Amino acid sequence: MKKLNTHNVDLLISAVSKKQYPEHEKPEVAMCGRSNVGKSSFINTILERKNYARVSSKPGKTRTLNFFDVDDQVVLVDVPGYGYAKLSKPEKEKLYDMIVEYFTNSENLGFVLHLIDSRHKPSQDDIEMNEFLNYYEIPFVIVMTKIDKISKNELAKNTGIIKRELDLTNNMAIIPFSSVTKIGKDQVLNEIAKVLED
């Protein structure tokens, strides 16, 4: 399995539409989730950086698709968080359109890391994202974030809920993850490395 040097990272572009997507031949792995799911902390843990993705006390700050080139081998795409209640309806629709346009137009998308907060059952937005990924037959990995904040019993229970409430037709793995303890980091990197072998 190829090893990624996660210290070798460049932000290619922050895009809002298809015409701004960077041109390259590398596989892309997108990361999506609710606006307070811990995506910035997840990215910083994966890339072994303190603040590559800005961790904000205000959810819903990412309004662009951020393309990160990792080791000149794979491009990680930070997709804006969904489900942020304080956005206006036009702002929500604009973000939704941006996400749909990317997922349906990217020619390099290998799979999606779908981040879900391990402390709660999937939200309606999580369920809709799951339905969307399955409808377009986009492979995905479910990453259960913030597992350091719950017990093993709660994690087992909530994993069962995810398996019941979500359609796992195109799911490749369910990975429990903590940006505090780094549990799940190697497993996520292994999944990303698999797209380099295709």
Side-chain angles (χ1 to χ4, degrees), residues 149-161:
K149 298 183 187 296
I150 60 172
S151 69
K152 285 185 176 169
N153 283 345
E154 286 176 294
L155 177 61
K157 186 183 93 178
N158 292 349
T159 303
I161 291 170

Side-chain angles (χ1 to χ4, degrees), residues 9-10 54 69-70 98 119 131 135 143 152 154-156 158 171 184-185 189:
V9 182
D10 285 309
R54 289 184 295 280
D69 185 305
V70 182
M98 192 195 307
R119 300 171 299 175
E131 289 171 348
Y135 180 80
V143 179
K152 285 185 176 169
E154 286 176 294
L155 177 61
N158 292 349
N171 179 51
K185 176 187 158 193
L189 290 173

Side-chain angles (χ1 to χ4, degrees), residues 17-192:
S17 67
K18 185 181 175 183
K19 60 178 181 286
Q20 294 178 321
Y21 299 166
E23 287 187 23
H24 63 86
E25 300 297 318
K26 304 173 195 111
E28 290 177 357
V29 175
M31 301 164 288
C32 71
R34 275 178 64 84
S35 55
N36 58 353
V37 75
K39 187 153 53 67
S40 295
S41 299
F42 171 80
I43 294 168
N44 290 332
T45 302
I46 294 301
L47 299 181
E48 299 179 56
R49 301 294 174 98
K50 281 271 191 309
N51 52 4
Y52 211 92
R54 289 184 295 280
V55 178
S56 172
S57 57
K58 293 179 183 169
K61 287 291 272 190
T62 304
R63 304 284 176 86
T64 55
L65 294 155
N66 298 319
F67 291 78
F68 298 97
D69 185 305
V70 182
D71 201 25
D72 204 29
Q73 294 191 71
V74 65
V75 175
L76 296 184
V77 185
D78 180 11
V79 175
Y82 54 77
Y84 185 48
K86 291 185 180 172
L87 289 183
S88 68
K89 194 161 181 245
E91 285 176 313
K92 281 183 182 171
E93 286 174 355
K94 189 175 168 188
L95 275 183
Y96 177 79
D97 290 344
M98 192 195 307
I99 294 169
V100 170
E101 181 182 49
Y102 169 68
F103 279 151
T104 55
N105 283 281
S106 170
E107 292 170 8
N108 300 310
L109 184 59
F111 69 95
V112 171
L113 291 161
H114 185 191
L115 277 57
I116 294 177
D117 192 327
S118 66
R119 300 171 299 175
H120 312 293
K121 71 177 198 174
S123 68
Q124 186 57 38
D125 293 303
D126 291 329
I127 291 168
E128 287 173 10
M129 175 58 75
N130 171 254
E131 289 171 348
F132 175 86
L133 294 173
N134 280 298
Y135 180 80
Y136 285 101
E137 298 183 343
I138 299 170
F140 60 89
V141 168
I142 291 174
V143 179
M144 297 177 68
T145 63
K146 307 185 183 184
I147 64 162
D148 51 282
K149 298 183 187 296
I150 60 172
S151 69
K152 285 185 176 169
N153 283 345
E154 286 176 294
L155 177 61
K157 186 183 93 178
N158 292 349
T159 303
I161 291 170
I162 281 177
K163 288 177 177 175
R164 279 199 309 275
E165 298 209 356
L166 299 183
D167 178 352
L168 301 182
T169 303
N170 290 295
N171 179 51
M172 298 152 59
I174 297 176
I175 302 177
F177 184 89
S178 167
S179 57
V180 176
T181 65
K182 312 289 190 286
I183 287 173
K185 176 187 158 193
D186 289 344
Q187 201 178 343
V188 170
L189 290 173
N190 285 342
E191 291 297 334
I192 292 172

